Amino acid sequence: MKLFFALLVVFLLSAEGAMECSDQCTPWTWAEPGGVSKACDAGNHMDYRLMIGDTQGGVTTPQDGQDYGPYTEAVPYKTYFFCPKVDEFTAFDANGSLADFRETKNVKLYASVFGAGKSSEVRFPEVDQDASVMVWDGNNTNCPGSGAVATFLIFNMTMKDGNYRYKNADPIGTGFVNTCSSSGDSCAFDGSAFCIGENGRYNCATCNATGSDVKILMSFYGTDSSSKNLLSGSSNPLNFREFALGNVYSDLQGDVNGISWPSNPI
C-alpha cells in the first residue's frame, strides 16, 4: 500500500502549478447548429469544466478561471474551469467548494461535467447520468445539524480516436466512478465510512466539519485522434484498492490533502 500511495503522490505532484491552456480539444458531439468539436490527441489540453449546483443552466462567463458568487436562482451553480492534458493522470481541486456548501441549507448539490451529457444535449448531464453525481447532502442523518460532502471523486474519460462514442445517446465509459457500492451501503475504500448519492451513484463521504473542498482524480481510456492507446487509466486508484491493507480512503485523503492541488488553473 505504501508503494501505491508513493506512486499516486508522484502522479498528483506532476499536476501542480499553473497550466497554460490553448487550442483545447472538445471530444463531445455537438447537436446544435454551429457547434464545434475537436478530437483529442495525447498531450493536448482539453476543455474540462466542472459545474456544481442544484439545477441545470447555461454556462456563465469565467473570471480568473472560475465563476464567482453564491448559488442563486439566476446562477444556480458554479463552474470550475480546468485544462488537463490528455492521457495524464490528473488531480483537480474545486477551490472553495466546501465553504460554499456550508452556506446552503438542507439542499442537495451535484457535480456535473460540461460536454459529457447525452448527444442530444451534451453540455449539461442530467442527474441520472454517469457524468453527474451528488457531492453535498445538506441534511444527512450521519451528520446531525450539518451536511455531508463527497470530497474525493474519480472521473473516467473514454474516447475512440479522440472523440466520445455514444450508445443510447450516452457517452460510453465517461463519467464519475462510484467509490461506494451501487446500493450506497458501503465505501469501497473504507468499510467504516458512509456514502451519499442516489440512483445507484454513490461516493464515500464525510461530515462537513472534517471535510475538505471537492477533489477529482481523472484518468483516460481508449485511443486518441492518432489511434494511440491512452494509458493513464492504469493509475486509477480503484485498480489498487483490493491489494491495499488498512483504511485506504483515509490514507488516500491524508496523502492528497497534504498536496498543493492546482485550483482552476486557467
Side-chain angles (χ1 to χ4, degrees):
M1 182 174 67
K2 293 300 183 182
L3 175 60
F4 159 59
F5 287 119
L7 292 172
L8 179 61
V9 168
V10 169
F11 281 114
L12 297 181
L13 287 173
S14 69
E16 288 185 19
M19 298 180 187
E20 294 183 3
C21 295
S22 61
D23 200 22
Q24 300 173 44
C25 65
T26 52
W28 48 82
T29 297
W30 287 98
E32 59 267 29
V36 177
S37 61
K38 180 183 177 182
C40 292
D41 199 23
N44 289 164
H45 291 291
M46 74 167 295
D47 183 338
Y48 186 86
R49 295 176 239 175
L50 184 74
M51 303 175 293
I52 298 181
D54 59 349
T55 61
Q56 314 269 322
V59 175
T60 56
T61 303
Q63 301 177 40
D64 297 329
Q66 77 171 59
D67 297 339
Y68 281 43
Y71 304 105
T72 65
E73 290 185 2
V75 184
Y77 59 89
K78 179 178 285 187
T79 305
Y80 298 84
F81 296 80
F82 303 98
C83 55
K85 283 188 176 181
V86 175
D87 206 26
E88 285 192 1
F89 182 63
T90 306
F92 305 115
D93 184 5
N95 190 33
S97 53
L98 183 60
D100 286 337
F101 297 166
R102 288 171 172 164
E103 296 298 318
T104 67
K105 302 293 183 183
N106 299 326
V107 300
K108 295 177 180 179
L109 298 176
Y110 302 83
S112 303
V113 175
F114 180 88
K118 292 180 178 294
S119 58
S120 58
E121 176 50 282
V122 300
R123 293 173 299 175
F124 307 111
E126 300 174 1
V127 294
D128 62 347
Q129 290 186 261
D130 290 341
S132 183
V133 68
M134 185 186 300
V135 290
W136 172 255
D137 183 354
N139 188 25
N140 190 277
T141 56
N142 292 286
C143 308
S146 65
V149 57
T151 58
F152 172 64
L153 304 174
I154 297 174
F155 190 85
N156 285 351
M157 182 79 65
T158 302
M159 296 181 284
K160 181 178 181 181
D161 297 330
N163 288 302
Y164 294 156
R165 290 295 185 264
Y166 295 83
K167 182 177 181 180
N168 300 325
D170 290 316
I172 300 170
T174 294
F176 293 102
V177 182
N178 285 357
T179 58
C180 284
S181 64
S182 60
S183 59
D185 57 5
S186 63
C187 170
F189 293 101
D190 179 3
S192 64
F194 65 93
C195 306
I196 62 172
E198 58 191 11
N199 300 323
R201 296 174 177 84
Y202 293 90
N203 284 283
C204 307
T206 184
C207 295
N208 78 58
T210 56
S212 64
D213 290 337
V214 173
K215 295 173 173 62
I216 305 98
L217 298 182
M218 179 178 175
S219 54
F220 293 83
Y221 298 84
T223 57
D224 71 359
S225 58
S226 302
S227 297
K228 176 184 176 182
N229 288 329
L230 302 175
L231 305 176
S232 65
S234 62
S235 303
N236 189 321
L238 285 173
N239 296 339
F240 298 90
R241 73 183 189 277
E242 64 182 293
F243 304 108
L245 301 175
N247 188 329
V248 180
Y249 185 64
S250 296
D251 289 346
L252 181 56
Q253 282 206 304
D255 282 339
V256 299
N257 287 337
I259 294 171
S260 175
W261 294 64
S263 301
N264 313 353
I266 64 172

